Amino acid sequence: MEAEERSSQASALIDARGLTRRFGDFVAVDGIDVTVGPGEVFGLLGANGAGKTTAIRMLCGTLAPTAGSIMVAGQDMARHARRARGQIGYVAQRFALYGDLTVRENLRLQAGLYGLAGGRSRERIQWALTHLALADVAERMAGMLPLGYQRRLALAAALLHEPKVLFLDEPTSGVDPMARQQFWELIYGLADSGIAILVTTHYMNEALFCDRIALMDAGRIVVEDDPAALAHRSLSTPILSLKSEGGGTLVQELRQWPEVLEMIPSAGQLRIRLRGGCDATALASRIRGLADESGVAPLKLEQVDPEFEDVVVAILEASQQERSA
């Protein structure tokens, strides 16, 4: 087992150990380990303020860690920062290119910053315009582009120097669903070419697109697993699905029950997450009795399996409760 772990670390393109960042007395990232291999899409998932952006800034060399080590494509970030950064492509949360330059001008500028010149520069810019579907807007001002195009331009700029590692910080935040899907298709294509990709996101459905995900809370990684295994974890908090007509009074009453932890609207139904240890069958019987008294009908009520979001929320809640204990 130890030999397999050493082999995995040796082949990793991203290998961070004990990564920590403090700002005064505040610990933003608290001793996390991150390993990502070639062709792998690794997701950091967590609420705003969980430490995802601070972690990714340290990993790509724009923020020095307080403690820990970072290896990128075989280069030690502390000893050989320039070499390590030369292997990295980074797309920040906010559009960081020049809005008053055209798409092509932005790419030329970025190519120059990466040391690309002459025919090589023209070749890589043409590749970027073609493969990221930017050719039709090449002469438009970047600041006038829709957000989805700006995200693609930022990705194109990050790929000009053919990095082995790509960091994407909330890359589809604010983007419409179709543009988000197109962006993920690009990510898959890049992973297929062997690039190691680390992406931060707070979208639950995007986490399912990753090969592995790590859930962050208060600067720590509380769980790391592949999405399918995580989605099938059992919960100590049973879930009921309720569908009724004219059940406003019923819903208001249920919100007051101490056994009800959370009520989540979902696809025309109401998902009721119960507190751990509750008898779901007995509680369902009580709800039906209350519905009869309230004259609510028809009523469909059944215990259901947890969804991926239910599992994530329960894990993060448990972490928060442990911290506050």
Side-chain angles (χ1 to χ4, degrees):
M1 190 68 165
E2 292 180 0
E4 291 179 4
E5 184 176 351
R6 287 194 298 269
S7 175
S8 174
Q9 292 174 13
S11 63
L13 288 176
I14 304 171
D15 187 14
R17 299 287 155 178
L19 198 59
T20 301
R21 177 67 199 198
R22 298 184 182 91
F23 296 95
D25 293 332
F26 175 67
V27 182
V29 175
D30 191 2
I32 67 172
D33 296 340
V34 176
T35 305
V36 188
E40 185 176 20
V41 181
F42 182 90
L44 277 180
L45 180 66
N48 291 333
K52 304 187 304 297
T53 295
T54 302
I56 205 170
R57 288 179 61 201
M58 287 190 288
L59 289 167
C60 69
T62 63
L63 179 67
T66 305
S69 64
I70 306 169
M71 297 290 292
V72 175
Q75 301 294 331
D76 187 322
M77 183 66 77
R79 295 183 178 181
H80 306 292
R82 183 185 294 270
R83 294 180 194 172
R85 286 196 291 266
Q87 302 294 336
I88 290 171
Y90 174 47
V91 178
Q93 276 189 27
R94 296 182 180 179
F95 185 65
L97 300 180
Y98 294 91
D100 56 351
L101 296 181
T102 68
V103 168
R104 191 184 300 276
E105 287 168 342
N106 267 291
L107 292 176
R108 283 175 182 161
L109 177 60
Q110 292 300 310
L113 294 174
Y114 286 129
L116 303 177
R120 183 58 178 161
S121 174
R122 290 190 294 272
E123 177 187 333
R124 291 302 299 161
I125 289 171
Q126 189 55 50
W127 176 91
L129 291 172
T130 301
H131 284 77
L132 282 93
L134 293 167
D136 291 344
V137 296
E139 311 310 325
R140 289 182 59 182
M141 293 294 180
M144 302 301 292
L145 294 175
L147 184 56
Y149 276 92
Q150 289 184 345
R151 298 291 192 194
R152 275 191 273 165
L153 173 57
L155 179 59
L159 294 170
L160 287 172
H161 60 307
E162 299 182 270
K164 294 181 180 179
V165 172
L166 182 62
F167 293 103
L168 304 172
D169 191 9
E170 303 278 1
T172 61
S173 180
V175 174
D176 66 79
M178 182 172 292
R180 190 181 302 165
Q181 179 63 39
Q182 292 170 345
F183 200 92
W184 273 95
E185 289 173 1
L186 291 171
I187 292 174
Y188 285 144
L190 294 169
D192 286 343
S193 72
I195 295 177
I197 300 174
L198 187 148
V199 56
T200 70
T201 182
H202 61 268
Y203 292 118
M204 297 292 181
N205 63 328
E206 287 194 354
L208 293 169
F209 299 156
C210 300
D211 297 308
R212 283 187 299 128
I213 59 174
L215 303 185
M216 287 194 72
D217 176 52
R220 296 181 179 181
I221 291 177
V222 294
V223 168
E224 181 181 326
D225 211 334
D226 69 82
L230 197 59
H232 287 92
R233 286 195 175 201
S234 59
L235 292 185
S236 62
T237 53
I239 296 174
L240 299 175
S241 177
L242 168 67
K243 187 171 184 179
S244 64
E245 295 179 3
T249 303
L250 175 64
V251 170
Q252 291 177 12
E253 179 69 23
L254 289 176
R255 291 187 189 279
Q256 309 304 316
W257 288 16
E259 299 90 346
V260 174
L261 185 63
E262 185 180 24
M263 300 182 73
I264 312 160
S266 175
Q269 300 186 20
L270 194 67
R271 293 171 63 82
I272 306 170
R273 192 157 65 93
L274 308 178
R275 295 190 182 277
C278 284
D279 185 333
T281 302
L283 200 64
S285 179
R286 284 178 56 196
I287 293 174
R288 291 191 183 93
L290 179 61
D292 289 339
E293 294 174 9
S294 305
V296 175
L299 177 71
K300 181 180 180 182
L301 182 65
E302 59 184 350
Q303 186 169 354
V304 295
D305 292 331
E307 296 179 352
F308 179 73
E309 185 170 352
D310 299 321
V311 175
V312 170
V313 169
I315 290 172
L316 294 178
E317 281 181 348
S319 173
Q320 292 163 8
Q321 289 170 4
E322 183 178 333
R323 284 192 287 111
S324 61

